[in-house]
Amino acid sequence: NAGVTQTPKFRVLKTGQSMTLLCAQDMNHEYMYWYRQDPGMGLRLIHYSVGEGTTAKGEVPDGYNVSRLKKQNFLLGLESAAPSQTSVYFCASVNGQGFTYEQYFGPGTRLTVT
Amino acid sequence: GQQVMQIPQYQHVQEGEDFTTYCNSSTTLSNIQWYKQRPGGHPVFLIQLVKSGEVKKQKRLTFQFGEAKKNSSLHITATQTTDVGTYFCAADGGGNKLVFGAGTILRVKS
């Protein structure tokens, strides 16, 4: 199993450009999440999904959109990038069954917006 | 919404010294999770605590959940250079979400 993978690993965008970050998991997990990580602020939830075809807003959703057309994939889109979106983005997935809701994280995407 | 405060923000210890990070909430938590993130890496799940007063150990790491389920701690005995990284607590934020603390960065001098 590859676990949770993220594409791309690094990206530099100019202000106003758009891009899509792809998260894929091969563990048949129900729940998937997108976080951003900034120095001193921990992990903040952007959007999440509790199943194929469903999405919901997290703590910091503005400027981002998501889609979960297939259970194994969760896409994060930036329609018009801003310097404030410079961050490290992590995707995570959770089984959704059983007792422990352990989150499995991908390796991250480091995004710089100039 | 749910918030968890984590202290200290940063700690630099000599190899062999002990280390503790604390996680506090103003509300009762249903459970709490702990994660470790190595420099340049991604968060990795360490443990979940559910019961009031629960204590769990993983080798040199001891995790505690307070009696009132409003605080938790992670204690590392005799730190090693492999312990460096950021330690996060994460609380159930409802609706299948987690709320993460800001993390404690641990540096170990050898």
PDB file of all heavy atoms in Angstrom, chain A residues 24-37:
ATOM      1  N   ALA A  24      -4.519  11.216  -2.955  1.00  0.00           N
ATOM      2  CA  ALA A  24      -5.037   9.885  -3.250  1.00  0.00           C
ATOM      3  C   ALA A  24      -4.696   8.939  -2.111  1.00  0.00           C
ATOM      4  O   ALA A  24      -3.593   9.005  -1.567  1.00  0.00           O
ATOM      5  CB  ALA A  24      -4.447   9.370  -4.563  1.00  0.00           C
ATOM      6  N   GLN A  25      -5.657   8.064  -1.761  1.00  0.00           N
ATOM      7  CA  GLN A  25      -5.400   7.053  -0.736  1.00  0.00           C
ATOM      8  C   GLN A  25      -5.892   5.698  -1.232  1.00  0.00           C
ATOM      9  O   GLN A  25      -6.935   5.613  -1.891  1.00  0.00           O
ATOM     10  CB  GLN A  25      -6.045   7.435   0.606  1.00  0.00           C
ATOM     11  CG  GLN A  25      -7.519   7.793   0.562  1.00  0.00           C
ATOM     12  CD  GLN A  25      -8.452   6.643   0.813  1.00  0.00           C
ATOM     13  OE1 GLN A  25      -8.051   5.524   1.149  1.00  0.00           O
ATOM     14  NE2 GLN A  25      -9.753   6.900   0.656  1.00  0.00           N
ATOM     15  N   ASP A  26      -5.108   4.661  -0.888  1.00  0.00           N
ATOM     16  CA  ASP A  26      -5.438   3.322  -1.362  1.00  0.00           C
ATOM     17  C   ASP A  26      -5.853   2.416  -0.213  1.00  0.00           C
ATOM     18  O   ASP A  26      -5.730   1.191  -0.295  1.00  0.00           O
ATOM     19  CB  ASP A  26      -4.260   2.731  -2.135  1.00  0.00           C
ATOM     20  CG  ASP A  26      -3.005   2.596  -1.285  1.00  0.00           C
ATOM     21  OD1 ASP A  26      -3.042   2.946  -0.088  1.00  0.00           O
ATOM     22  OD2 ASP A  26      -1.977   2.143  -1.835  1.00  0.00           O
ATOM     23  N   MET A  27      -6.365   3.008   0.865  1.00  0.00           N
ATOM     24  CA  MET A  27      -6.747   2.240   2.053  1.00  0.00           C
ATOM     25  C   MET A  27      -8.260   2.091   2.176  1.00  0.00           C
ATOM     26  O   MET A  27      -8.748   1.624   3.203  1.00  0.00           O
ATOM     27  CB  MET A  27      -6.162   2.928   3.292  1.00  0.00           C
ATOM     28  CG  MET A  27      -4.636   2.965   3.291  1.00  0.00           C
ATOM     29  SD  MET A  27      -3.933   3.911   4.650  1.00  0.00           S
ATOM     30  CE  MET A  27      -4.219   5.571   4.076  1.00  0.00           C
ATOM     31  N   ASN A  28      -8.996   2.540   1.180  1.00  0.00           N
ATOM     32  CA  ASN A  28     -10.464   2.474   1.187  1.00  0.00           C
ATOM     33  C   ASN A  28     -11.062   3.253   2.359  1.00  0.00           C
ATOM     34  O   ASN A  28     -12.102   2.862   2.910  1.00  0.00           O
ATOM     35  CB  ASN A  28     -10.956   1.021   1.214  1.00  0.00           C
ATOM     36  CG  ASN A  28     -12.384   0.893   0.718  1.00  0.00           C
ATOM     37  OD1 ASN A  28     -12.815   1.604  -0.191  1.00  0.00           O
ATOM     38  ND2 ASN A  28     -13.131  -0.019   1.323  1.00  0.00           N
ATOM     39  N   HIS A  29     -10.410   4.344   2.733  1.00  0.00           N
ATOM     40  CA  HIS A  29     -10.902   5.154   3.846  1.00  0.00           C
ATOM     41  C   HIS A  29     -12.083   6.005   3.433  1.00  0.00           C
ATOM     42  O   HIS A  29     -12.154   6.504   2.311  1.00  0.00           O
ATOM     43  CB  HIS A  29      -9.775   6.064   4.362  1.00  0.00           C
ATOM     44  CG  HIS A  29      -8.774   5.340   5.194  1.00  0.00           C
ATOM     45  ND1 HIS A  29      -7.647   5.962   5.715  1.00  0.00           N
ATOM     46  CD2 HIS A  29      -8.729   4.054   5.623  1.00  0.00           C
ATOM     47  CE1 HIS A  29      -6.966   5.082   6.435  1.00  0.00           C
ATOM     48  NE2 HIS A  29      -7.600   3.925   6.375  1.00  0.00           N
ATOM     49  N   GLU A  30     -13.013   6.176   4.393  1.00  0.00           N
ATOM     50  CA  GLU A  30     -14.214   6.976   4.119  1.00  0.00           C
ATOM     51  C   GLU A  30     -13.943   8.484   4.180  1.00  0.00           C
ATOM     52  O   GLU A  30     -14.454   9.248   3.386  1.00  0.00           O
ATOM     53  CB  GLU A  30     -15.300   6.630   5.137  1.00  0.00           C
ATOM     54  CG  GLU A  30     -15.938   5.266   4.950  1.00  0.00           C
ATOM     55  CD  GLU A  30     -16.719   5.175   3.652  1.00  0.00           C
ATOM     56  OE1 GLU A  30     -17.242   6.200   3.181  1.00  0.00           O
ATOM     57  OE2 GLU A  30     -16.801   4.057   3.093  1.00  0.00           O
ATOM     58  N   TYR A  31     -13.194   8.893   5.199  1.00  0.00           N
ATOM     59  CA  TYR A  31     -13.044  10.319   5.464  1.00  0.00           C
ATOM     60  C   TYR A  31     -11.711  10.836   4.928  1.00  0.00           C
ATOM     61  O   TYR A  31     -10.674  10.177   5.069  1.00  0.00           O
ATOM     62  CB  TYR A  31     -13.087  10.601   6.976  1.00  0.00           C
ATOM     63  CG  TYR A  31     -14.280  10.054   7.704  1.00  0.00           C
ATOM     64  CD1 TYR A  31     -14.189   9.740   9.058  1.00  0.00           C
ATOM     65  CD2 TYR A  31     -15.500   9.838   7.073  1.00  0.00           C
ATOM     66  CE1 TYR A  31     -15.266   9.233   9.760  1.00  0.00           C
ATOM     67  CE2 TYR A  31     -16.585   9.334   7.756  1.00  0.00           C
ATOM     68  CZ  TYR A  31     -16.465   9.030   9.099  1.00  0.00           C
ATOM     69  OH  TYR A  31     -17.542   8.521   9.779  1.00  0.00           O
ATOM     70  N   MET A  32     -11.766  12.032   4.361  1.00  0.00           N
ATOM     71  CA  MET A  32     -10.531  12.667   3.892  1.00  0.00           C
ATOM     72  C   MET A  32     -10.534  14.146   4.266  1.00  0.00           C
ATOM     73  O   MET A  32     -11.615  14.761   4.369  1.00  0.00           O
ATOM     74  CB  MET A  32     -10.369  12.487   2.377  1.00  0.00           C
ATOM     75  CG  MET A  32     -10.202  11.019   1.976  1.00  0.00           C
ATOM     76  SD  MET A  32      -9.841  10.767   0.237  1.00  0.00           S
ATOM     77  CE  MET A  32      -8.121  11.280   0.150  1.00  0.00           C
ATOM     78  N   TYR A  33      -9.343  14.696   4.452  1.00  0.00           N
ATOM     79  CA  TYR A  33      -9.201  16.053   4.983  1.00  0.00           C
ATOM     80  C   TYR A  33      -8.085  16.799   4.259  1.00  0.00           C
ATOM     81  O   TYR A  33      -7.086  16.200   3.863  1.00  0.00           O
ATOM     82  CB  TYR A  33      -8.834  15.999   6.477  1.00  0.00           C
ATOM     83  CG  TYR A  33      -9.792  15.182   7.322  1.00  0.00           C
ATOM     84  CD1 TYR A  33      -9.672  13.802   7.390  1.00  0.00           C
ATOM     85  CD2 TYR A  33     -10.808  15.796   8.042  1.00  0.00           C
ATOM     86  CE1 TYR A  33     -10.558  13.047   8.156  1.00  0.00           C
ATOM     87  CE2 TYR A  33     -11.691  15.055   8.809  1.00  0.00           C
ATOM     88  CZ  TYR A  33     -11.558  13.677   8.859  1.00  0.00           C
ATOM     89  OH  TYR A  33     -12.436  12.938   9.616  1.00  0.00           O
ATOM     90  N   TRP A  34      -8.254  18.110   4.172  1.00  0.00           N
ATOM     91  CA  TRP A  34      -7.184  18.991   3.718  1.00  0.00           C
ATOM     92  C   TRP A  34      -6.869  19.979   4.844  1.00  0.00           C
ATOM     93  O   TRP A  34      -7.761  20.664   5.364  1.00  0.00           O
ATOM     94  CB  TRP A  34      -7.574  19.774   2.474  1.00  0.00           C
ATOM     95  CG  TRP A  34      -7.352  19.027   1.205  1.00  0.00           C
ATOM     96  CD1 TRP A  34      -8.277  18.489   0.371  1.00  0.00           C
ATOM     97  CD2 TRP A  34      -6.089  18.757   0.589  1.00  0.00           C
ATOM     98  NE1 TRP A  34      -7.686  17.892  -0.704  1.00  0.00           N
ATOM     99  CE2 TRP A  34      -6.334  18.046  -0.590  1.00  0.00           C
ATOM    100  CE3 TRP A  34      -4.760  19.052   0.928  1.00  0.00           C
ATOM    101  CZ2 TRP A  34      -5.320  17.611  -1.448  1.00  0.00           C
ATOM    102  CZ3 TRP A  34      -3.753  18.626   0.084  1.00  0.00           C
ATOM    103  CH2 TRP A  34      -4.029  17.918  -1.086  1.00  0.00           C
ATOM    104  N   TYR A  35      -5.560  20.057   5.197  1.00  0.00           N
ATOM    105  CA  TYR A  35      -5.073  20.991   6.201  1.00  0.00           C
ATOM    106  C   TYR A  35      -4.027  21.896   5.569  1.00  0.00           C
ATOM    107  O   TYR A  35      -3.359  21.525   4.615  1.00  0.00           O
ATOM    108  CB  TYR A  35      -4.387  20.254   7.356  1.00  0.00           C
ATOM    109  CG  TYR A  35      -5.264  19.368   8.188  1.00  0.00           C
ATOM    110  CD1 TYR A  35      -5.395  18.014   7.886  1.00  0.00           C
ATOM    111  CD2 TYR A  35      -5.929  19.864   9.299  1.00  0.00           C
ATOM    112  CE1 TYR A  35      -6.183  17.182   8.671  1.00  0.00           C
ATOM    113  CE2 TYR A  35      -6.719  19.034  10.094  1.00  0.00           C
ATOM    114  CZ  TYR A  35      -6.834  17.704   9.761  1.00  0.00           C
ATOM    115  OH  TYR A  35      -7.612  16.883  10.546  1.00  0.00           O
ATOM    116  N   ARG A  36      -3.847  23.049   6.184  1.00  0.00           N
ATOM    117  CA  ARG A  36      -2.688  23.854   5.888  1.00  0.00           C
ATOM    118  C   ARG A  36      -1.899  24.031   7.185  1.00  0.00           C
ATOM    119  O   ARG A  36      -2.475  24.086   8.282  1.00  0.00           O
ATOM    120  CB  ARG A  36      -3.043  25.206   5.279  1.00  0.00           C
ATOM    121  CG  ARG A  36      -3.913  26.109   6.105  1.00  0.00           C
ATOM    122  CD  ARG A  36      -4.112  27.462   5.408  1.00  0.00           C
ATOM    123  NE  ARG A  36      -2.894  28.257   5.390  1.00  0.00           N
ATOM    124  CZ  ARG A  36      -2.737  29.400   4.705  1.00  0.00           C
ATOM    125  NH1 ARG A  36      -3.743  29.873   3.976  1.00  0.00           N
ATOM    126  NH2 ARG A  36      -1.605  30.059   4.744  1.00  0.00           N
ATOM    127  N   GLN A  37      -0.568  24.092   7.034  1.00  0.00           N
ATOM    128  CA  GLN A  37       0.298  24.225   8.196  1.00  0.00           C
ATOM    129  C   GLN A  37       1.184  25.440   8.016  1.00  0.00           C
ATOM    130  O   GLN A  37       1.953  25.525   7.062  1.00  0.00           O
ATOM    131  CB  GLN A  37       1.158  22.984   8.405  1.00  0.00           C
ATOM    132  CG  GLN A  37       2.012  23.062   9.669  1.00  0.00           C
ATOM    133  CD  GLN A  37       2.768  21.793   9.954  1.00  0.00           C
ATOM    134  OE1 GLN A  37       3.203  21.087   9.055  1.00  0.00           O
ATOM    135  NE2 GLN A  37       2.915  21.463  11.234  1.00  0.00           N
TER     136      GLN A  37
END
